[in-house]
Amino acid sequence: MLIDSVQVECFLCAAKYLNFSKAADYLYISQPVLSRRILRLEQELGVELFDRSGRSLELTENGKKFQKFFERVSGEFNVLIEDINSAESVTKRQLRIGVCEGIDLSKYIRVILSGFAEINPNIEIVFDSGPVESLLENFKRGHYDIVIMLKVTIENYLKSGIVSKIKIFDLLHVHKCVIYSTNNPLYGKENLRLEDFADQNMYCLKKEHVPQKVLSQGELLENHNISPKIKFLSSMDSIYMALQIGAGFSIFDNHERILNSNDIEHFDLEETQEISMVVSDEMSKNVTEFVNYCLSLKL
C-alpha cells in the first residue's frame, strides 16, 4: 500500500469543503490534480471515500471513518513534530560569545568550558573574535550574548553613551606588561624595568578609542617618570613587525595573544586591569548560568 501525506491532505481538504473546486483552490492546485490524487488514495485503500452520484459531493460511510482516522493521525503527527522540535531546541541551546581581538583566554577558557559543560551539557558555546567597535555593534544587534574585553574600554564606551542597558562582570585580573623582541638591545639583561626603555620608541595602537588609551598609558609613564617617543600603528601585526626590527617596546596586558610569539619577550608591571564580561541588562537563562559559573571560579 502506497499512501502519501499529499493524498491524505487532498482528501481531508475535500472532506472539509465537500467540493473539489474549493478544495483545489485552497491547496493552490487544479481540480483535475486533486481528483487524481483522491482517486489514487481510494484505489490504495480499496474503498470509495466520496459519493459522487448526486448533485452534491458526500462522504461515504467508509469516507467518514477514514476522515476521523486521518484527522487523528495528522493531529498526533503534528504534536510529535512540535515535541521533537521543542526538544531539539532545548538540547541545542547556544551561547554566542565575542572576544576582543588580541585577548588570549585559552588557558582560562579550557577551565571554564570543561566545568561548565559538565553542569550544562545542553548549552553549546560558540566563540568569535573581532575589534571592539565591531563586537559592540554586533552585541547591540543581538548577534552576541556576551562580549569580553578590558573593563576600562567598555566603561569608556558606557560613559560616551555608545552602549547602554548593560551589566559588567569582572572575569580576570591581569597585569600590564612591557613587550619587546629578542632583537631589542636590552634582550637578555636581567631585572629589566620600564625605566630601562625610556630612550626607545613606544608603539601604541591607533584606534577610535585611542585618547582613552593614551591617557591611561600616559599616567603609567608618568608614574615611572619616563617620556618615550610614542609611535601610533594601526594593528597588532604592525606593532609586532616594528618590535621585530629591534629598538622599541609596547605596553599591553599579559593576556595579549602576541605574547605567544617565540621572538617576543615581556615582563609584568605592578599596574593591573580587569578583563570583564558585558551582558544585556535583561540576562537570559543561558547567560545567567554562564556568568554565575565564571564568577564562582574566581579566576
Side-chain angles (χ1 to χ4, degrees), residues 125-174:
I125 298 180
V126 178
F127 285 96
D128 193 11
S129 178
V132 172
E133 295 83 1
S134 174
L135 289 182
L136 291 179
E137 184 62 30
N138 284 318
F139 174 72
K140 289 192 291 184
R141 293 178 179 177
H143 297 327
Y144 295 127
D145 301 296
I146 299 173
V147 291
I148 298 176
M149 61 183 64
L150 288 176
K151 184 175 184 178
V152 64
T153 302
I154 190 59
E155 286 179 339
N156 286 328
Y157 278 99
L158 190 59
K159 291 176 183 177
S160 68
I162 295 177
V163 291
S164 60
K165 297 181 179 180
I166 62 171
K167 291 182 180 179
I168 303 174
F169 297 93
D170 294 337
L171 179 63
L172 294 171
H173 188 73
V174 297

Side-chain angles (χ1 to χ4, degrees), residues 10-184:
C10 289
F11 164 65
L12 290 177
C13 193
K16 175 182 177 181
Y17 289 106
L18 291 177
N19 185 297
F20 281 6
S21 296
K22 289 182 179 180
D25 290 342
Y26 179 83
L27 296 173
Y28 296 98
I29 59 176
S30 66
Q31 181 179 336
V33 170
L34 180 130
S35 297
R36 285 198 298 270
R37 289 175 179 172
I38 293 177
L39 180 60
R40 290 190 190 125
L41 178 61
E42 290 177 320
Q43 291 171 346
E44 291 294 334
L45 295 174
V47 298
E48 289 188 354
L49 300 173
F50 293 98
D51 182 357
R52 301 171 176 83
S53 60
R55 285 189 167 184
S56 59
L57 191 66
E58 298 289 341
L59 282 167
T60 63
E61 288 302 316
N62 287 329
K64 292 176 182 178
K65 292 177 182 178
F66 276 109
Q67 180 188 29
K68 292 180 180 179
F69 171 76
F70 285 131
E71 285 177 345
R72 177 174 59 81
V73 172
S74 297
E76 292 177 356
F77 177 77
N78 291 332
V79 170
L80 177 61
I81 292 297
E82 290 178 3
D83 288 344
I84 291 174
N85 290 337
S86 177
E88 287 186 349
S89 67
V90 171
T91 59
K92 295 180 180 178
R93 283 191 294 163
Q94 195 174 83
L95 194 63
R96 299 156 299 177
I97 301 178
V99 182
C100 183
E101 64 179 355
I103 292 181
D104 184 5
L105 298 177
S106 56
K107 61 180 179 180
Y108 306 107
I109 291 300
R110 285 195 295 270
V111 174
I112 292 172
L113 292 188
S114 59
F116 186 74
E118 291 181 7
I119 302 173
N120 301 277
N122 295 330
I123 299 180
E124 177 189 11
I125 298 180
V126 178
F127 285 96
D128 193 11
S129 178
V132 172
E133 295 83 1
S134 174
L135 289 182
L136 291 179
E137 184 62 30
N138 284 318
F139 174 72
K140 289 192 291 184
R141 293 178 179 177
H143 297 327
Y144 295 127
D145 301 296
I146 299 173
V147 291
I148 298 176
M149 61 183 64
L150 288 176
K151 184 175 184 178
V152 64
T153 302
I154 190 59
E155 286 179 339
N156 286 328
Y157 278 99
L158 190 59
K159 291 176 183 177
S160 68
I162 295 177
V163 291
S164 60
K165 297 181 179 180
I166 62 171
K167 291 182 180 179
I168 303 174
F169 297 93
D170 294 337
L171 179 63
L172 294 171
H173 188 73
V174 297
H175 278 270
K176 282 192 169 296
C177 64
V178 175
I179 302 174
Y180 60 103
S181 80
T182 54
N183 293 319
N184 193 291

Side-chain angles (χ1 to χ4, degrees), residues 198-232:
D199 297 329
Q200 295 190 10
N201 292 330
M202 175 177 167
Y203 299 109
C204 299
L205 278 174
K206 182 174 178 60
K207 292 192 174 183
E208 292 182 13
H209 57 283
V210 85
Q212 290 93 353
K213 268 188 172 287
V214 170
L215 177 61
S216 174
Q217 292 172 345
E219 292 175 348
L220 187 151
L221 297 176
E222 186 176 339
N223 291 338
H224 287 265
N225 196 29
I226 66 171
S227 55
K229 187 173 182 180
I230 296 177
K231 300 283 188 178
F232 290 113

